[in-house]
Amino acid sequence: MKEKKKLDLAALSSIPLIMTLANSMLIPILPLMQRELKISDLQTSLIITVYAAVSIVCIPIAGYLSDRFGRKRIIVISLIVVAVGGLVSGLAAWLMSMHSSYYVILLGRFIQGVGAAGAFPIVIPLVGDMFDSKEEVSSGLGMIETSNTFGKVISPVLGSALALVLWFLPLAVIPLISIFSILAVIFFVKAPEPGDSAAEQDSNTDNRFRSFVHHTVSLLAEKGHWLYAIFAIGCLGMFIMFGFLYYLSSVLEHHYHIDGIKKGLLLAIPLSAICLASYITGKIVGENKLRMKVFSAIGLIVLTAAMVTCGLANTKGLWFLISLMFVSGGGIGLVLPSLDALITEGIEKKQRGTITSLYSSARFIGVALGPLIASVMLKSEAWLFYLFAGCALLCSILALFTIKPNKEKKEHLKS
């Protein structure tokens, strides 16, 4: 990888790190927020869910805008929106009374979700645009996914530590850390710009949009047999991950009476497995699509086995539970960079932003549903784990039977 590109990649890696902190820092302090705001379990889960839910709608729009106006421009604007949303939530928690501040905090999280839609999801196609070598693309995506999961590793500890100072500080620091990423992208990222001039684009907006929709529909019709499978796997994988993190956060506090930094450190254990596995997978898969498929299938089978074991066994044994969560994280870490690489390698640059955004929307559906479903099923934990196991098993079947990289290669050669 060229030396000058390493600086670009480092700046881009700050985006998933910060977007992850904006969401995952709140997971360990949700019980604390519930007590401070005097809200229910369901209302508490919405603090995570609303951020992800609005992103689901906005991500495809951001993908289209990035294809047309340039990825760097959309990323910078989106990061500014994230900072504004963080400012709204932080000021509401600081200045308003308990329960009334909850709804303004949700408004701030809504704004953050709009911004997040045009930040991290656009990074994946931008990495594909920046490198010509497939091996460099795969390695770059592994680094991006590692940054994403590294954010998840440090976020429980950082969120817990900040909450010891002020309970709402994890909300209030988002604007500050967003500024760091904004400056890094502006000064260090040299992104390819769209080919046409702005005047040409404006004069043909309607035709271009109709053409965009037509080409997207045609692409999905041609490659949907594996793209839809990857969308489903990404969605269900994030559903499982955020569901078991919400469950683990609740169990540590309510059953073991563990909170603060110690709780953050325990939550970081399964997340560190995701980070380590993502980094290794990104290095190993290279441009080998068959290897991407195999890693995805193995990771999903491991995840299925771990979730079944959680359902059958006594998960109230702390270190046994943490060990199973660590294994589950390792399985997810094998899957995520493989899916990123499969999409980036299989889609042409001009439509990569749109398709990657659809994939990111699917992932955010999982992020939104995970805490929500887990909060409803906390008292039926065995069935919660069986649900996770069933989802993981379905994903492994999809990975094995719908992703056919050899067939894709032959079709490409024929064309």
Side-chain angles (χ1 to χ4, degrees):
M1 189 177 295
K2 296 177 181 178
E3 199 66 34
K4 62 179 181 179
K5 292 292 185 182
K6 287 185 178 180
L7 201 56
D8 296 59
L9 198 56
L12 290 176
S13 295
S14 71
I15 297 171
L17 174 63
I18 290 170
M19 293 303 100
T20 299
L21 290 176
N23 209 29
S24 298
M25 270 199 305
L26 304 183
I27 290 176
I29 66 164
L30 287 175
L32 173 60
M33 295 181 74
Q34 183 176 356
R35 293 194 298 270
E36 292 288 341
L37 297 171
K38 300 188 184 306
I39 54 178
S40 66
D41 285 335
L42 183 59
Q43 286 177 309
T44 305
S45 69
L46 288 176
I47 294 173
I48 301 294
T49 297
V50 71
Y51 174 91
V54 67
S55 296
I56 295 165
V57 178
C58 294
I59 286 173
I61 299 171
Y64 166 67
L65 293 175
S66 77
D67 282 339
R68 184 181 171 202
F69 296 109
R71 311 209 197 280
K72 178 177 175 178
R73 187 175 302 160
I74 298 302
I75 286 173
V76 170
I77 294 171
S78 299
L79 288 171
I80 293 171
V81 174
V82 169
V84 171
L87 190 62
V88 170
S89 292
L91 289 176
W94 180 27
L95 300 175
M96 299 181 69
S97 59
M98 291 180 186
H99 194 71
S100 59
S101 68
Y102 168 72
Y103 296 101
V104 183
I105 289 171
L106 281 187
L107 173 62
R109 296 288 290 164
F110 181 93
I111 296 170
Q112 275 186 296
V114 173
F120 176 41
I122 308 302
V123 170
I124 297 175
L126 180 52
V127 171
D129 294 347
M130 286 168 52
F131 298 103
D132 297 322
S133 164
K134 291 183 178 181
E135 189 171 347
E136 286 183 328
V137 170
S138 180
S139 178
L141 290 173
M143 186 171 175
I144 295 297
E145 200 63 69
T146 300
S147 176
N148 181 24
T149 51
F150 178 68
K152 290 181 174 65
V153 172
I154 64 171
S155 57
V157 180
L158 185 57
S160 300
L162 290 172
L164 290 176
V165 181
L166 287 171
W167 71 267
F168 58 83
L169 202 53
L171 288 169
V173 300
I174 301 305
L176 295 177
I177 60 178
S178 296
I179 290 172
F180 168 79
S181 191
I182 292 168
L183 294 175
V185 172
I186 289 174
F187 290 108
F188 297 128
V189 175
K190 305 296 186 293
E193 294 296 329
D196 296 335
S197 68
E200 289 172 331
Q201 290 177 349
D202 290 339
S203 65
N204 296 298
T205 298
D206 292 337
N207 289 335
R208 291 176 66 87
F209 184 76
R210 282 196 294 268
S211 176
F212 156 78
V213 172
H214 172 73
H215 286 305
T216 301
V217 171
S218 299
L219 181 64
L220 290 172
E222 177 190 350
K223 299 180 180 287
H225 59 281
W226 62 273
L227 279 177
Y228 292 136
I230 289 178
F231 294 167
I233 295 168
C235 172
L236 294 175
M238 299 305 285
F239 165 69
I240 296 169
M241 178 165 64
F242 274 82
F244 78 57
L245 286 174
Y246 184 93
Y247 166 83
L248 186 57
S249 177
S250 299
V251 166
L252 288 175
E253 186 137 341
H254 296 144
H255 183 77
Y256 294 102
H257 309 292
I258 298 172
D259 56 13
I261 294 179
K262 184 178 179 182
K263 176 184 175 182
L265 289 169
L266 289 173
L267 284 171
I269 292 174
L271 291 166
S272 65
I274 302 175
C275 182
L276 181 62
S278 293
Y279 179 77
I280 294 172
T281 301
K283 292 292 184 182
I284 293 176
V285 296
E287 58 184 86
N288 190 320
K289 291 184 181 179
L290 180 59
R291 202 174 292 168
M292 297 170 196
K293 171 181 175 173
V294 170
F295 270 63
S296 298
I298 291 173
L300 290 164
I301 292 169
V302 168
L303 180 59
T304 303
M307 292 294 103
V308 168
T309 305
C310 284
L312 294 173
N314 176 19
T315 55
K316 289 301 190 293
L318 178 59
W319 289 108
F320 181 63
L321 174 61
I322 294 293
S323 298
L324 288 172
M325 294 294 103
F326 183 86
V327 172
S328 301
I332 292 173
L334 294 178
V335 176
L336 295 180
S338 299
L339 297 183
D340 293 345
L342 278 166
I343 286 186
T344 306
E345 298 290 348
I347 303 298
E348 293 180 6
K349 285 186 179 183
K350 63 182 180 180
Q351 290 179 304
R352 193 175 287 154
T354 302
I355 299 301
T356 306
S357 295
L358 292 174
Y359 166 62
S360 296
S361 286
R363 282 177 56 153
F364 268 89
I365 292 173
V367 174
L369 290 178
L372 196 63
I373 300 299
S375 69
V376 173
M377 298 183 67
L378 276 177
K379 294 180 181 178
S380 306
E381 60 184 51
W383 287 107
L384 176 63
F385 285 118
Y386 292 146
L387 174 62
F388 290 157
C391 291
L393 179 61
L394 173 61
C395 288
S396 64
I397 293 170
L398 289 173
L400 286 170
F401 295 104
T402 63
I403 300 174
K404 299 179 179 178
N406 290 334
K407 181 179 177 182
E408 285 294 314
K409 187 174 181 180
K410 289 176 184 176
E411 289 176 353
H412 177 72
L413 290 173
K414 286 179 182 178
S415 63

